[in-house]
Amino acid sequence: MTSIKIPPDHPRAKSLTIREKLIEHYLEGIVAASGLIAHGRGEAFDYLLSEKTSRPALEGIQAAAATLLTAENPVISVNGNTAALVAEEIVKLANITEAKIEVNLFYRSLGRELAIKKLLEKAGAREVLGVGRKASARILELSSERRRVDPRGIMAADAVLVPLEDGDRTEALVRMGKKVIAIDLNPLSRTAQKATITIVDNIVRAAPSLVQAAERLKKRGIGKCREILLNFDNKKNLAGSIILMNENLTNFAEKTVRITNKGE
Ligand code: ATP
């Protein structure tokens, strides 16, 4: 545990609490040091979304839920940041969509793999793939440790949810013919651009929404899922997020000018 107490009335209490959670899990060996840097990059883009789930993000969430529900072999890939922030939602989503859960890390060590597995099991996961020798298959063309995958998990999957992914692996998974769903606050990243479905949102908001969307869509049936997917265009949706960030920036600029003028 870290010693910092965040005052609940602090204007950025939510964001600071998330940071503290990541630092705690970093100290416990679950989050990698680079995961803290990646989170900072995400936060910067979240400012441009006014830290709210946007309409394009909601559409991406619907399409992602539909993809997981219609897949033969869906898999949710989990890294340190994802486990630290939304382990319970990942387990719920896996249960609803009958997806497998697989640990996949850029900075692999058996210690981290086991710590993440333990965290997921504490959140209710019955089986966690990709740990130790289980990650015996290799994604060709990738040189990082992320090439190691479980033959029963990502290797055999037709749809993979990859929250907070890196671009190389997204591209490799798409080339392998898999539907890749990314959650990434940066709509300009290679991951966001290359994924089959991109949810431009903070994982702490997107994961619970995804659980809700999957619950609702499961009740409405496969036909509704197919209809959603037929009408979804990832490139248009991504453009929607970029346009929204641009509009928010313009509004911020206009507001700044108004405040400056009032002060004169
Ligand atoms: P790429 O390789 O795809 O071009 P990158 O080099 O930025 O991107 P990483 O360093 O792996 O890739 O960063 C992970 C991504 O995760 C970043 O784009 C960041 O915006 C995003 N990210 C970090 N924290 C969150 C979060 N809480 N929710 C959603 N996205 C996040």
Side-chain angles (χ1 to χ4, degrees):
M1 284 286 280
T2 56
S3 53
I4 294 178
K5 280 255 172 307
I6 296 153
D9 59 345
H10 189 288
R12 301 210 46 78
K14 235 191 227 172
S15 158
L16 294 178
T17 308
I18 294 169
R19 282 188 188 177
E20 280 307 304
K21 209 174 196 183
L22 285 170
I23 293 168
E24 267 170 32
H25 286 86
Y26 164 71
L27 296 173
E28 285 168 14
I30 285 170
V31 168
S34 67
L36 300 177
I37 299 170
H39 183 76
R41 179 164 38 233
E43 279 185 337
F45 283 96
D46 211 6
Y47 249 80
L48 305 183
L49 289 172
S50 305
E51 296 171 309
K52 284 194 270 212
T53 299
S54 66
R55 191 192 46 75
L58 281 173
E59 284 173 15
I61 286 167
Q62 287 291 325
T67 301
L68 292 173
L69 287 166
T70 50
E72 290 278 319
N73 243 326
V75 172
I76 304 173
S77 174
V78 177
N79 67 3
N81 285 38
T82 304
L85 296 177
V86 289
E88 281 178 15
E89 286 82 358
I90 293 295
V91 173
K92 278 187 199 157
L93 185 64
N95 288 341
I96 298 164
T97 60
E98 293 170 36
K100 296 188 180 101
I101 299 176
E102 175 164 343
V103 175
N104 193 273
L105 308 175
F106 196 87
Y107 298 98
R108 242 182 210 283
S109 75
L110 187 59
R112 274 190 76 214
E113 287 167 24
L114 288 170
I116 292 172
K117 179 173 183 261
K118 204 168 143 196
L119 187 65
L120 288 164
E121 284 171 347
K122 208 171 140 204
R126 287 186 292 272
E127 191 182 20
V128 179
L129 303 178
V131 177
R133 289 203 188 132
K134 280 188 185 172
S136 59
R138 300 282 181 276
I139 299 178
L140 300 173
E141 308 162 29
L142 279 186
S143 52
S144 79
E145 277 299 276
R146 290 201 110 174
R147 73 180 183 268
R148 284 175 50 187
V149 287
D150 197 308
R152 289 196 300 133
I154 290 172
M155 202 59 169
D158 54 344
V160 195
L161 170 63
V162 289
L164 326 183
E165 184 58 76
D166 70 88
D168 281 6
R169 207 169 74 110
T170 305
E171 256 190 295
L173 293 172
V174 170
R175 268 204 299 272
M176 288 165 83
K178 301 179 193 301
K179 289 178 186 141
V180 178
I181 304 160
I183 301 176
D184 192 335
L185 276 161
N186 176 4
L188 310 176
S189 76
R190 286 174 309 146
T191 302
Q193 295 283 331
K194 298 287 177 190
T196 322
I197 293 170
T198 311
I199 301 168
V200 180
D201 197 12
N202 196 320
I203 195 168
V204 299
R205 296 190 300 268
S209 294
L210 197 43
V211 170
Q212 272 183 16
E215 258 168 356
R216 267 191 243 126
L217 265 182
K218 194 172 182 175
K219 285 186 196 135
R220 297 186 71 181
I222 293 287
K224 183 65 194 171
C225 293
R226 295 217 170 103
E227 185 192 317
I228 287 171
L229 291 172
L230 264 178
N231 292 317
F232 183 77
D233 179 332
N234 199 49
K235 289 289 174 199
K236 267 197 196 153
N237 192 266
L238 253 181
S241 294
I242 298 169
I243 289 166
L244 178 69
M245 288 183 176
N246 198 14
E247 283 170 1
N248 283 344
L249 274 173
T250 306
N251 291 339
F252 292 142
E254 284 171 2
K255 207 166 131 193
T256 307
V257 169
R258 278 201 300 274
I259 292 168
T260 312
N261 287 345
K262 263 192 201 161
E264 279 171 359

